[in-house]
Amino acid sequence: MVQKAERVTAPQILGRNTGRPGRPVGNITRGTTNPNRMRRVDRWLTGPQAWRLRNAADPLVVDLGYGAAPATAVELYERLSAVRRNVQVFGIEIEPERVRAAIPLERPGLSFRVGGFELPVPGKPALVRAFNVLRQYEEADVAGIWRLVQDRLAPDGLFIDGTCDEIGRRVTWVALDAERPLSLSISVRFGSFLLPSDVAERLPKALIHRNVPGEPVHALMQAMDRAWLECAPLATFGNRQRWQGMCRSLRDTGWPVHDGPSRWRLGELTVDWDAVAPLAGGGAG
């Protein structure tokens, strides 16, 4: 049964940031999932962010809210094992039946537990991935939920709050360390959109209601579309080249674009969070 998402209050944030057992913080969500749905964010975690897991004193990873089936948690374990063989992945779900169904898939390095945003795991995670979870909460609750998870991170730990379509063709995520949001990433499959701004319907909860004139994320969407159209001649060489041209144009016009062609060619774009953060009065920032 899917419940209306509860408000994450200040007492919960103050009292549930230690990983102690107790009532999970959060509510049961729809749990929609599909195999390979998280491949784009996982490719980022095993690429430019792999150093965090390699350097971690404790290679602890959480897949928070993996859904009605544990396929994406299993995939995360398999992909991260290539980065660090002794990785420990915990799939966390607030619905006990989903955890019971996943238990037969446990193996050394992969476990499943009942829990929520308090992260009931033994230690401080190097990585926490929560996809299509906060999308089902209130925008005003995002900052509190972020803080609750951030307070559980290890030094150099990373929290990924993201959203994607049903089969992972249009994906966005915010990356946060223990102190603040760091970046917004967009990753799309070529051929799945007419204009880059089509991905706006999959923006994370902190931004999806901010894609309106005057907000920074709307300016990014518009700048992407303009650069994409201006790079139309590159379509002769394929959409991969056109996307790279768009990214280069954004960087050249002052957008704080991360990485370079090796990531752009994958249909990926990452910018500083400060360039897209909601204006004062937003639900997160």
Side-chain angles (χ1 to χ4, degrees):
M1 177 181 177
V2 177
Q3 304 172 359
K4 178 178 174 57
E6 70 175 11
R7 303 300 303 272
V8 177
T9 64
Q12 286 177 307
I13 295 170
L14 293 173
R16 298 306 311 279
N17 62 1
T18 61
R20 294 192 299 268
R23 181 177 179 271
V25 177
N27 290 86
I28 300 170
T29 53
R30 289 187 294 274
T32 305
T33 189
N34 277 303
N36 218 26
R37 192 182 185 192
M38 303 296 132
R39 62 192 180 279
R40 292 185 172 275
V41 65
D42 290 353
R43 184 168 59 188
W44 188 73
L45 291 173
T46 57
Q49 300 302 316
W51 67 271
R52 297 180 186 273
L53 187 58
R54 292 194 185 103
N55 295 346
D58 182 6
L60 175 63
V61 176
V62 172
D63 187 17
L64 178 59
Y66 57 81
T72 57
V74 174
E75 290 167 352
L76 181 64
Y77 165 73
E78 292 173 345
R79 290 162 180 164
L80 294 183
S81 293
V83 174
R84 184 149 176 186
R85 294 181 61 184
N86 64 336
V87 66
Q88 296 288 319
V89 175
F90 284 86
I92 303 296
E93 250 298 335
I94 203 166
E95 166 52 62
E97 185 55 41
R98 294 174 184 173
V99 176
R100 282 192 288 270
I103 293 297
L105 295 176
E106 289 190 337
R107 64 194 76 171
L110 176 63
S111 303
F112 296 91
R113 291 189 175 185
V114 175
F117 296 114
E118 78 285 356
L119 305 186
V121 295
K124 288 183 171 291
L127 296 172
V128 178
R129 186 187 71 179
F131 250 72
N132 304 302
V133 178
L134 273 74
R135 183 178 177 87
Q136 301 177 57
Y137 284 73
E138 297 293 329
E139 181 186 0
D141 292 340
V142 171
I145 293 171
W146 280 1
R147 186 73 265 158
L148 185 58
V149 177
Q150 287 173 276
D151 285 346
R152 294 281 288 117
L153 292 176
D156 288 328
L158 201 68
F159 172 34
I160 308 299
D161 167 21
T163 305
C164 65
D165 68 3
E166 288 72 16
I167 57 176
R169 298 167 302 177
R170 302 178 183 180
V171 188
T172 72
W173 61 89
V174 178
L176 308 94
D177 65 12
E179 300 299 326
R180 62 188 182 87
L182 301 176
S183 60
L184 170 70
S185 293
I186 294 167
S187 184
V188 293
R189 179 180 177 180
F190 298 123
S192 70
F193 62 91
L194 293 176
L195 289 172
S197 63
D198 291 347
V199 78
E201 66 180 14
R202 300 295 173 175
L203 285 169
K205 190 67 177 188
L207 294 175
I208 192 166
H209 302 301
R210 299 289 165 168
N211 185 30
V212 294
E215 287 282 347
V217 73
H218 182 265
L220 174 63
M221 295 291 111
Q222 295 300 300
M224 289 171 64
D225 284 353
R226 285 194 301 271
W228 178 256
L229 293 173
E230 290 168 358
C231 290
L234 292 175
T236 301
F237 306 102
N239 282 331
R240 190 183 307 277
Q241 293 297 325
R242 188 177 180 182
W243 183 270
Q244 291 183 75
M246 178 199 76
C247 294
R248 188 173 294 107
S249 176
L250 290 171
R251 184 190 61 191
D252 292 347
T253 55
W255 284 94
V257 175
H258 293 206
D259 306 317
S262 65
R263 304 306 303 179
W264 303 343
R265 68 184 302 276
L266 303 174
E268 192 175 289
L269 171 68
T270 298
V271 299
D272 286 348
W273 173 255
D274 289 345
V276 294
L279 298 179

